[in-house]
Amino acid sequence: MRLIVVGTGGMAKNHVEHFARIPGVEIVGAVDTDATRLTAFCDTFDIRNRFSSLDEALAWNEFDAVTNVTPDKAHHPTTLPLLVAGKHVLCEKPLAENYEKALEMTEAAERAGVVNMVNLTYRNVAQLQKAREMVISGEIGTVKHVEASYLQSWLVSRAWGDWRSESKWLWRLSTGHGSNGVLGDIGIHILDFAAYGAATDIDHVFARLKTFNKAPDERIGEYTLDANDSFSMSVDFANGALGVVHASRWATGHLNELKLRIYGERGGLEVSHSPNGSELRGCLGDDTETATWRVIEVPPVLTNYQRFAEAVMTGSSQDPSFRHAANLQRVLDLAMVTETERRELKV
């Protein structure tokens, strides 16, 4: 598989490092409108073919697949011409800024008949995969209640850098710079974490969003700090379960932590993921009588990068697909409407 990287910002490094370890994958080029960034990136990873525009790369055409690591608002305009050209695409999340654009990308990919995946990175968590398997196999019975949280603390600490002065963080706080806040940035991750782990889709949503004061007049330089910082969401799942989902960038002491609790009529599961590792615990069988939780050992699973490469090389389809990410985007879009209208909406 001959792969090019579109967008050479911070996340591109992760993509290249993963793909470079996969047998049969050759990284043949990179695209970025910022010449300085492009040169530094290609020099670091020894990428020979360098393009200042997507049109240049498409004219060259010596590639089979693309990993699209552009900023969120650029996913739609950069992915569509790639699909028309018949290229397989792994796109960073979210698929698009809104459901309408995500659906257009989905339908274009399905018409083209190419492999299309979205890098919902927490699918790489083996413990989440195992929890889903256990739910589907009926080990905890019918799921009744789901709790999910995604907690970050980069508005409190400087562990990842200083958001007050660094553009790579400030844009995430400004709707004028293409951000839909914590809901748009990591909301898609925790919704996928919850629905995938509980093996059921979300069909009703009611959300509250909150933007907290962070600077005088809510501005730092060119950035208006108006994107949401925290959200809480009540959801109904298609199987009848009730769910509570929340996320925040103000969670002191939690650099990047996801947690999922799934409660069924015969048992419970808890998935935790943080920079320190992942864990799956279960309360099953006779342990439900004593509320005893035990760690469940889980073997590793393939990453999204490996599954994308496998899909391209074998011609098979793999999740999470554009269609799945578009459906999640619809939930996120409706969540914003529910905040405005203060009412529950059906997905």
Side-chain angles (χ1 to χ4, degrees):
M1 181 181 84
R2 299 170 301 170
L3 179 76
I4 68 168
V5 183
V6 178
T8 59
M11 274 300 295
K13 176 179 180 290
N14 294 336
H15 283 237
V16 169
E17 289 175 344
H18 278 281
F19 278 118
R21 293 194 291 265
I22 301 174
V25 174
E26 182 184 5
I27 301 167
V28 298
V31 181
D32 203 305
T33 56
D34 185 317
T36 301
R37 185 168 58 207
L38 176 65
T39 298
F41 181 82
C42 291
D43 286 349
T44 299
F45 295 104
D46 195 25
I47 299 172
R48 184 171 63 180
N49 299 293
R50 308 164 184 201
F51 306 98
S52 61
S53 72
L54 191 57
D55 287 342
E56 286 182 20
L58 286 168
W60 177 62
N61 203 35
E62 298 294 322
F63 62 100
D64 311 300
V66 176
T67 186
N68 189 337
V69 206
T70 57
D72 298 356
K73 63 183 179 181
H75 292 172
H76 176 266
T78 54
T79 298
L80 287 177
L82 291 166
L83 298 173
V84 170
K87 306 302 181 183
H88 308 289
V89 179
L90 173 67
C91 186
E92 257 304 323
K93 61 79 196 168
L95 183 57
E97 296 169 90
N98 56 54
Y99 175 68
E100 182 180 13
K101 290 181 178 179
L103 182 61
E104 183 182 0
M105 294 165 70
T106 299
E107 293 176 343
E110 292 173 352
R111 282 195 304 270
V114 297
V115 173
N116 57 94
M117 289 178 61
V118 176
N119 191 32
L120 294 168
T121 52
Y122 299 108
R123 291 290 185 94
N124 302 337
V125 176
Q127 289 76 6
L128 178 68
Q129 300 272 359
K130 180 63 175 178
R132 175 181 172 86
E133 289 177 12
M134 294 176 71
V135 170
I136 291 173
S137 68
E139 290 188 52
I140 66 169
T142 302
V143 175
K144 301 293 187 182
H145 191 85
V146 177
E147 299 176 44
S149 62
Y150 193 152
L151 304 179
Q152 295 181 331
S153 60
W154 60 265
L155 287 176
V156 180
S157 75
R158 293 178 173 81
W160 294 352
D162 191 349
W163 61 266
R164 297 165 185 81
S165 58
E166 298 180 23
S167 60
K168 69 177 182 178
W169 301 113
L170 278 167
W171 81 266
R172 296 174 184 272
L173 307 176
S174 172
T175 60
H177 286 77
S179 175
N180 284 326
V182 71
L183 181 71
D185 186 17
I186 62 176
I188 192 168
H189 277 313
I190 194 58
L191 288 179
D192 183 62
F193 208 73
Y196 184 76
T200 180
D201 293 328
I202 294 168
D203 68 4
H204 283 81
V205 59
F206 177 72
R208 292 296 308 273
L209 312 178
K210 188 75 172 182
T211 305
F212 296 97
N213 181 275
K214 293 180 287 295
D217 300 322
E218 296 305 324
R219 291 188 64 85
I220 296 178
E222 65 180 277
Y223 299 91
T224 299
L225 310 183
D226 59 347
N228 58 84
D229 303 322
S230 297
F231 75 79
S232 61
M233 187 184 297
S234 175
V235 301
D236 287 348
F237 290 95
N239 74 337
L242 182 67
V244 179
V245 182
H246 70 99
S248 181
R249 293 167 170 163
W250 289 101
T252 304
H254 300 275
L255 290 179
N256 194 68
E257 181 180 292
L258 293 86
K259 186 159 285 189
L260 172 63
R261 296 182 176 95
I262 310 167
Y263 303 112
E265 59 190 347
R266 294 202 304 273
L269 297 170
E270 180 180 280
V271 182
S272 301
H273 177 76
S274 74
N276 296 323
S278 306
E279 184 178 77
L280 172 62
R281 299 195 308 151
C283 181
L284 308 165
D286 292 341
D287 284 342
T288 61
E289 302 299 333
T290 57
T292 301
W293 290 80
R294 303 181 191 274
V295 174
I296 299 170
E297 297 300 327
V298 182
V301 297
L302 295 178
T303 66
N304 288 340
Y305 310 100
Q306 291 170 312
R307 290 189 295 108
F308 177 71
E310 180 182 276
V312 172
M313 289 188 271
T314 62
S316 62
S317 297
Q318 292 273 3
D319 268 336
S321 66
F322 278 21
R323 175 69 64 177
H324 174 75
N327 290 339
L328 288 177
Q329 191 61 49
R330 177 166 171 76
V331 177
L332 295 173
D333 287 3
L334 290 175
M336 298 184 78
V337 177
T338 68
E339 159 68 16
T340 303
E341 299 186 359
R342 291 291 196 271
R343 65 186 180 95
E344 179 186 79
L345 289 175
K346 180 174 174 56
V347 175

